[in-house]
Amino acid sequence: MNDKKSVDIIQEALFSSSVFKEGGERTLNQSFIPEVLNFREDHIRRISQNFRELFSSERGGYSGFSINMAITGSAGIGKTVTSRYTVDRIQSAAEKYHLKLYTDYKNCWTTRTKTSILRSILRDQFGVASRGFSDEESTDILIRRLNSEQAYLLLILDEVSVLNQKDIRGFVHLSEEFGMEHRISLIMISRPTEWKVALSSMVSQRISDVIHFQPYSYEETRKILAYRAELAFKSYALSEDIIDMVSEISDQTKNLRHGIETLYRAGRAADQKRIDEISPELIRRAKNDVYPEMRADILEELNPHELFAALSVARRLHHKGITATTIEHSFKNYRIICEEWNSTPNGEAAFRNYLSTLEAIGILGKVTKGVKGRKGVRARLTIHDVPAAILIERIEVFLAKRLKSER
Ligand SMILES: Nc1ncnc2c1ncn2[C@@H]1O[C@H](COP(=O)(O)OP(=O)(O)OP(=O)(O)O)[C@@H](O)[C@H]1O
Ligand SMILES: [Mg+2]
């Protein structure tokens, strides 16, 4: 390859057209905090209210402010993003009111001990290199800095259950080391099981508010993902049907991250293939990478008619632009497939049972209600876990082998 050509390739890769808007790819990163957080207004309000006193002019007599609060809830429902969003805005309010407030976010998966968290706060916020300092020394520096600046620290500890018990207690009691003038506040984030089992009894006396986040409904998920897609992609790059599909992926696991990551990967794949629109097939493939569920031996558990039924749905969904199909349509397909494999088809009731089995083991997406007003309320069949093309190929190869060995 000559030099000219390599340079052309790089030029093209950097500047050729993309399904992403300029800067859009970044908005699907885990660390990105969007301007708008729909359906979390109540939580944002409640977190903020906990810090009202910090801004109160009557605080005069009482010196210091400290509050510990906790946030719990299942995976991918906005605990992290809502906390960071709110704390960023509390910080802006503090600037406006000339209140000296330091805010920091630490994920305990990345910074795993109290020692390393204290050190990284000193380094990031105050430019103090405290390597080799003990916790006591680090705490002492922190206290002196905050006191001398009449400043406060609001710290988010995400995935707090990763810390050992001693460290967690240490953080919860940190404020008391300040004597009269408490200056440190904590927002601790944890999954509900860890919270209930490991943390709650240990720290609950020191926690003044616990907010439980609930998963988003399908409608909420869809609105949020439509908004996130709009931030990230050019308008022609994806259709309403794709948003439906990604929303169902997220809704199935009740985890918004699965939808967002699927969008991201599908967008990347579209760019790599130089396609200017994200297809259902790209979504299925991307989903498979995000959430690989199809065990290799799963087909072994199925009888031939269940496999025919899986094929009947997969074939329909393999068509360009089709993201969901109906039971009636699949049943017709099933009868054709039985003929192809020289098998006598069973009736529709039996067919529905096959679909239920496939749904239970996770090959078929759950039979969802159609979105009201657009497609009526007929049951729809989807496959999320594996690209249709791959499912078809695997089943056909498997059937050929099995039926041959039976003959
Ligand atoms: N209301 C919302 N509007 C826009 N994006 C959202 C909203 N809620 C969550 N997200 C996005 O969904 C993804 C998952 O949210 P987040 O990381 O906050 O979940 P989490 O509850 O902290 O999950 P985990 O327990 O796994 O850490 C993030 O990309 C986040 O930006
Ligand atoms: Mg989180």
Side-chain angles (χ1 to χ4, degrees), residues 80 158-159 257:
T80 299
D158 204 348
E159 318 268 3
R257 192 176 300 116

Side-chain angles (χ1 to χ4, degrees), residues 27-34 36-40 73-83 105 107 158-159 189-191 213 216 224-225 227-228 255-258 260:
T27 69
L28 296 175
N29 284 354
Q30 183 55 33
S31 58
F32 178 77
I33 304 175
V36 182
L37 285 182
N38 280 312
F39 313 113
R40 288 297 181 226
S74 57
I77 58 171
K79 300 183 300 297
T80 299
V81 77
T82 306
S83 310
Y105 167 87
N107 190 318
D158 204 348
E159 318 268 3
I189 306 178
S190 159
R191 298 279 171 79
F213 279 47
Y216 297 110
I224 294 170
L225 287 173
Y227 164 61
R228 297 297 300 254
N255 185 331
L256 208 61
R257 192 176 300 116
H258 289 152
I260 291 178

Side-chain angles (χ1 to χ4, degrees), residues 37-291:
L37 285 182
N38 280 312
F39 313 113
R40 288 297 181 226
E41 293 85 355
D42 290 348
H43 299 95
I44 294 170
R45 188 174 305 113
R46 190 160 146 193
I47 298 170
S48 310
Q49 277 168 349
N50 278 310
F51 296 92
R52 203 147 66 178
E53 208 184 304
L54 194 53
F55 292 85
S56 140
S57 53
E58 281 122 49
R59 201 159 40 87
Y62 164 72
S63 49
F65 173 86
S66 163
I67 196 165
N68 295 328
M69 57 173 295
I71 290 177
T72 75
S74 57
I77 58 171
K79 300 183 300 297
T80 299
V81 77
T82 306
S83 310
R84 300 194 77 171
Y85 177 99
T86 311
V87 165
D88 280 358
R89 275 157 178 76
I90 292 174
Q91 165 86 71
S92 308
E95 272 162 32
K96 212 165 128 195
Y97 287 88
H98 306 293
L99 179 78
K100 189 106 183 142
L101 177 69
Y102 291 96
T103 60
D104 210 338
Y105 167 87
K106 297 290 172 215
N107 190 318
C108 301
W109 271 113
T110 337
T111 323
R112 302 182 79 117
T113 62
K114 181 171 171 238
T115 310
S116 53
I117 291 171
L118 287 175
R119 284 179 189 166
S120 85
I121 293 171
L122 286 179
R123 187 192 56 227
D124 299 348
Q125 301 291 339
F126 303 99
V128 176
S130 57
R131 258 187 76 189
F133 287 8
S134 68
D135 279 12
E136 289 71 28
E137 286 165 323
S138 295
T139 308
D140 198 52
I141 298 173
L142 191 60
I143 293 172
R144 272 193 276 143
R145 284 300 284 260
L146 293 176
N147 277 339
S148 73
E149 294 180 25
Q150 296 281 298
Y152 296 88
L153 172 68
L154 167 48
L155 174 63
I156 303 176
L157 289 179
D158 204 348
E159 318 268 3
V160 70
S161 58
V162 174
L163 298 180
N164 69 35
Q165 301 211 346
K166 183 167 162 275
D167 282 0
I168 294 174
R169 282 208 194 88
F171 271 115
V172 177
H173 291 269
L174 194 55
S175 189
E176 286 151 29
E177 309 210 12
F178 280 71
M180 292 299 284
E181 286 195 55
H182 300 174
R183 295 190 177 277
I184 295 186
S185 295
L186 294 180
I187 298 179
M188 298 194 286
I189 306 178
S190 159
R191 298 279 171 79
T193 321
E194 283 81 353
W195 178 255
K196 269 192 231 121
V197 175
L199 296 165
S200 171
S201 59
M202 187 166 73
V203 298
S204 64
Q205 285 178 325
R206 305 273 162 186
I207 304 283
S208 46
D209 192 19
V210 182
I211 307 182
H212 295 288
F213 279 47
Q214 298 296 333
Y216 297 110
S217 69
Y218 175 82
E219 273 70 31
E220 290 171 342
T221 300
R222 196 187 183 287
K223 282 210 183 98
I224 294 170
L225 287 173
Y227 164 61
R228 297 297 300 254
E230 195 188 318
L231 291 181
F233 295 104
K234 291 172 182 161
S235 58
Y236 58 77
L238 80 188
S239 66
E240 291 288 306
D241 276 357
I242 292 290
I243 305 278
D244 283 348
M245 203 175 163
V246 177
S247 307
E248 275 164 30
I249 289 169
S250 262
D251 190 52
Q252 199 182 29
T253 53
K254 294 284 171 203
N255 185 331
L256 208 61
R257 192 176 300 116
H258 289 152
I260 291 178
E261 260 186 53
T262 303
L263 281 175
Y264 173 74
R265 283 168 195 256
R268 292 286 301 248
D271 280 3
Q272 270 163 19
K273 291 176 195 289
R274 299 156 191 247
I275 304 170
D276 58 10
E277 192 182 340
I278 293 178
S279 65
E281 199 60 19
L282 282 182
I283 295 287
R284 277 184 213 113
R285 267 175 215 272
K287 202 274 172 156
N288 202 30
D289 292 340
V290 172
Y291 211 70

